[in-house]
Amino acid sequence: MTDLSPYPPIDPTTFDLIVIGTGLPESIIAAAASAVGKSVLHLDSNAFYGTHSASLSIAELSSFLQNPHSIPLPPPPNGTETTMINLTTRPLYSDLEISNLAPDLLSEHSRSFHIDVSGPRVLFCADRSIEFILKSGANQYVEFKSVDASFMGDGTGALWSVPDSRAAIFKDKSLGLQEKNQLMRFFKRVQEHLLSSAAEEEQETSSRIADADLESPFVEFLEKMRLPHKIKSIILYAIAMSDYDQGKIEDSKYLLKTRDGIDRLALYHASIGRLQNVPGALIYPIYGQGELPQAFCRRAAVKGSIYVLRMPVISLHLDRDNGCFKGIRLASGQDIFSQKLVLDPALTVPLSSASSLVDHQRVSLEDGSGKVARAICITRRALKPDISNCLVIYPPRSLHSEQTTSIRALQIGQNLAVCPPGMFVLYLSTLCDKGNQWKELLRSAINTLLTIPDPGNPDSSSLVECEKSHNKEVQPTLLWSALYVQELSTVEHDFISSAPMPDGNLSYNNLLDATLKLFQKIYPDEEFFPETVLSDNSEEDGGLGLET
């Protein structure tokens, strides 16, 4: 008796769209295509959903970062009428450093973790991502909880609350009376401008900010408002979420204009209290960010999409005459045909294969914004007592004299079902361009926030904590960490489409914009998730799933 193939045959063998990889962009495109009646085959070589947007156990995460894709050797060609080119993988993660300071403890709970591959990431309650999740119907399959607080930190270890509303300003004990009055006047000025702009007045009034100021650097406008340095830093980096140093205009890689800065302030303030049971501006998915791509996969499956995990794709079929995409070959040897293809960003076509095609078929690398450095820490204790989920911002120059970018840290606790009780997951990230400077920056943030035990002395953390407790709050103890760099570049082909990689932003808006652009490239005449009318007996809930 012959052994059965580990890969089951797929039926049918022809689809309108094939999507390889179940990351968030790929899952959104599959759901959007199925929503307009396209037949979709969605494949992933991994045993889990999410790919670069997944939430994984410690062992799964370590394995994925070291070897995210493995493509089996292709079977010999079988005389098809197309040109076959083999797929290859490109490394998207590098400089991986994993440290396990509590192996026995973590091994007991290894399956209790849901760790994001591309954190930190949150959703603003009033941003486009929320409207999009509601419009697509993906909200039926994912629930969220509030991020409890936001802080701004410095190299001393101090964390200041971000005063993002009138009530927060009055309660903030770190601000003096003069600072509170200055911040209140600034927010009032911005609010008057927004109200005046919303009224679409044709003539410029005293309530509106002048066009010249709107086109000027935001940092100059804040100086014009005579705001002190601390308040400017809070507005620029903890509310407007600027990535790069705005203090030195000539050196700033990305200079935030006043118009854009005010739009970001408006988004932040509109997010505060917008959703029921969410007092703050930010929310996070229960069970981790990997729930978002799974929600869109479920939405697509309801519309008829076919999903197959553990299914590597090894080759592409291209038309012999014009090089257009015709289909794929699976590791099982089965050929599947389609008009369109969306490729996981880790998969690409070798330049040698691409150059053998007709002259107008070329592969080009479009460099995004360099790289993003990420760190994941598992800790014992929270950064602040009684606060499970919080965001910490380290503005440029706050930890290191050569720190030109913000460092963001997001702590998520057990009430979001991502780790065992008494432990927390801390995500950090910063954009990086220069050599290994990112390691120094992320380690500076980690050393400032956490107590690092001596690997040779497991009891050392208790001694350090005891000493620190006499002077200030006891810091969390580091149990496990992973530091790595993720590529932001994308590969563009003339004949296939590659999904975008997760970017270095805190929100999903830019990633969503790139996904929408890709969908419109594939289907220029189709609406991106058309509005649907629910029947009276529909079980679909038009709200967003939130837990108190």
Side-chain angles (χ1 to χ4, degrees):
M1 182 176 178
T2 59
D3 293 334
L4 295 176
S5 169
Y7 304 111
I10 295 175
D11 184 43
T13 59
T14 301
F15 296 84
D16 295 323
L17 173 67
I18 295 174
V19 181
I20 303 175
T22 54
L24 183 58
E26 300 97 300
S27 300
I28 291 174
I29 288 175
S34 64
V36 294
K38 306 298 181 182
S39 59
V40 179
L41 174 63
H42 203 167
L43 306 170
D44 199 319
S45 61
N46 296 297
F48 51 82
Y49 287 92
T51 320
H52 309 289
S53 308
S55 298
L56 306 173
S57 68
I58 295 176
E60 289 172 332
L61 176 70
S62 301
S63 175
F64 179 78
L65 292 176
Q66 295 178 66
N67 185 25
H69 285 275
S70 58
I71 299 180
L73 292 175
N78 59 358
T80 62
E81 297 180 355
T82 59
T83 297
M84 292 189 63
I85 57 174
N86 297 330
L87 290 173
T88 61
T89 60
R90 65 187 186 104
L92 296 179
Y93 306 99
S94 60
D95 295 302
L96 175 64
E97 294 184 8
I98 295 178
S99 177
N100 191 345
L101 302 174
D104 294 337
L105 176 62
L106 294 178
S107 64
E108 296 177 13
H109 305 281
S110 61
R111 303 298 301 181
S112 300
F113 289 94
H114 300 276
I115 304 175
D116 300 339
V117 175
S118 58
R121 187 83 68 173
V122 296
L123 291 89
F124 288 82
C125 294
D127 70 11
R128 299 191 306 277
S129 299
I130 297 296
E131 302 302 330
F132 168 66
I133 290 172
L134 292 171
K135 180 182 178 182
S136 66
N139 58 297
Q140 300 174 72
Y141 310 104
V142 62
E143 291 185 305
F144 300 86
K145 275 191 176 182
S146 174
V147 175
D148 304 318
S150 294
F151 300 97
M152 195 172 74
D154 64 13
T156 67
L159 296 177
W160 298 291
S161 296
V162 175
D164 48 20
S165 65
R166 291 174 62 92
I169 292 173
F170 282 118
K171 292 179 181 179
D172 196 325
K173 297 180 180 179
S174 68
L175 296 176
L177 180 59
Q178 183 178 2
E179 291 175 318
K180 290 182 179 181
N181 289 333
Q182 289 172 317
L183 194 53
M184 287 292 294
R185 284 197 298 269
F186 172 75
F187 283 154
K188 182 180 179 181
R189 180 76 179 90
V190 171
Q191 184 68 21
E192 289 174 347
H193 166 78
L194 293 172
L195 291 174
S196 178
S197 300
E200 297 182 351
E201 297 177 1
E202 295 183 359
Q203 295 183 350
E204 189 171 306
T205 68
S206 58
S207 299
R208 299 180 64 179
I209 297 173
D211 289 340
D213 286 334
L214 291 175
E215 294 302 318
S216 68
F218 194 31
V219 64
E220 290 185 359
F221 179 74
L222 298 180
E223 291 171 354
K224 188 175 181 179
M225 296 292 294
R226 298 182 178 180
L227 296 176
H229 176 75
K230 178 181 176 180
I231 299 299
K232 286 191 297 184
S233 293
I234 290 174
I235 293 171
L236 284 170
Y237 305 109
I239 298 179
M241 299 294 174
S242 297
D243 290 314
Y244 291 94
D245 185 7
Q246 303 291 304
K248 295 184 178 180
I249 297 176
E250 65 276 9
D251 295 334
S252 179
K253 187 171 183 178
Y254 176 65
L255 190 60
L256 187 65
K257 289 186 177 181
T258 300
R259 187 186 305 277
D260 298 325
I262 288 177
D263 287 343
R264 295 187 185 187
L265 293 184
L267 168 63
Y268 198 105
H269 285 285
S271 297
I272 296 174
R274 186 212 175 193
L275 300 177
Q276 187 178 7
N277 301 325
V278 180
L282 311 174
I283 56 175
Y284 181 91
I286 298 176
Y287 297 109
Q289 300 291 347
E291 291 297 294
L292 288 174
Q294 289 193 65
F296 285 99
C297 289
R298 293 187 182 104
R299 193 62 181 163
V302 168
K303 297 293 185 178
S305 296
I306 295 177
Y307 281 82
V308 185
L309 299 182
R310 301 183 181 89
M311 182 59 74
V313 177
I314 57 176
S315 304
L316 303 182
H317 287 282
L318 303 181
D319 189 282
R320 289 186 183 275
D321 296 325
N322 57 26
C324 291
F325 171 74
K326 290 295 183 180
I328 60 174
R329 174 161 293 182
L330 306 176
S332 63
Q334 184 180 11
D335 293 323
I336 306 291
F337 299 96
S338 173
Q339 301 172 10
K340 305 288 185 180
L341 173 70
V342 174
L343 203 58
D344 182 301
L347 299 176
T348 186
V349 177
L351 286 172
S352 58
S353 297
S355 62
S356 66
L357 302 177
V358 292
D359 290 340
H360 66 273
Q361 303 291 355
R362 289 292 182 266
V363 179
S364 62
L365 279 175
E366 290 190 357
D367 191 19
S369 300
K371 303 176 181 180
V372 56
R374 303 190 190 276
I376 304 169
C377 300
I378 297 174
T379 69
R380 184 190 287 119
R381 293 192 185 89
L383 294 173
K384 286 280 189 178
D386 303 322
I387 297 181
S388 293
N389 314 308
C390 64
L391 177 68
V392 178
I393 306 293
Y394 286 101
R397 320 289 177 184
S398 61
L399 292 174
H400 195 280
S401 60
E402 297 184 6
Q403 177 193 348
T404 60
T405 58
S406 297
I407 298 175
R408 302 186 182 108
L410 177 67
Q411 175 187 274
I412 300 297
Q414 183 269 338
N415 68 337
L416 275 159
V418 300
C419 58
M423 298 185 194
F424 297 84
V425 181
L426 183 68
Y427 300 100
L428 302 95
S429 73
T430 186
L431 298 176
C432 59
D433 299 310
K434 301 178 181 178
N436 289 327
Q437 189 186 73
W438 64 272
K439 292 183 181 179
E440 184 177 356
L441 295 178
L442 289 182
R443 283 177 178 147
S444 294
I446 292 171
N447 291 334
T448 301
L449 289 169
L450 309 178
T451 295
I452 315 297
D454 181 356
N457 182 9
D459 297 326
S460 63
S461 62
S462 299
L463 297 174
V464 174
E465 288 173 359
C466 183
E467 293 175 358
K468 289 184 176 181
S469 65
H470 293 294
N471 302 316
K472 58 180 181 179
E473 295 176 353
V474 176
Q475 289 181 309
T477 301
L478 180 66
L479 303 177
W480 182 94
S481 66
L483 283 76
Y484 55 98
V485 171
Q486 177 212 301
E487 296 286 341
L488 293 177
S489 60
T490 58
V491 178
E492 292 295 334
H493 305 269
D494 290 338
F495 50 92
I496 56 176
S497 299
S498 289
M501 279 292 291
D503 54 30
N505 295 309
L506 187 65
S507 75
Y508 284 98
N509 283 342
N510 287 355
L511 188 63
L512 178 58
D513 289 343
T515 303
L516 172 59
K517 182 179 178 181
L518 179 56
F519 178 82
Q520 291 172 338
K521 172 187 173 183
I522 299 171
Y523 294 117
D525 299 325
E526 299 289 355
E527 184 179 356
F528 192 56
F529 286 107
E531 297 284 355
T532 57
V533 179
L534 302 181
S535 61
D536 293 338
N537 60 353
S538 173
E539 296 181 357
E540 296 187 0
D541 183 4
L544 194 69
L546 293 164
E547 283 200 1
T548 57

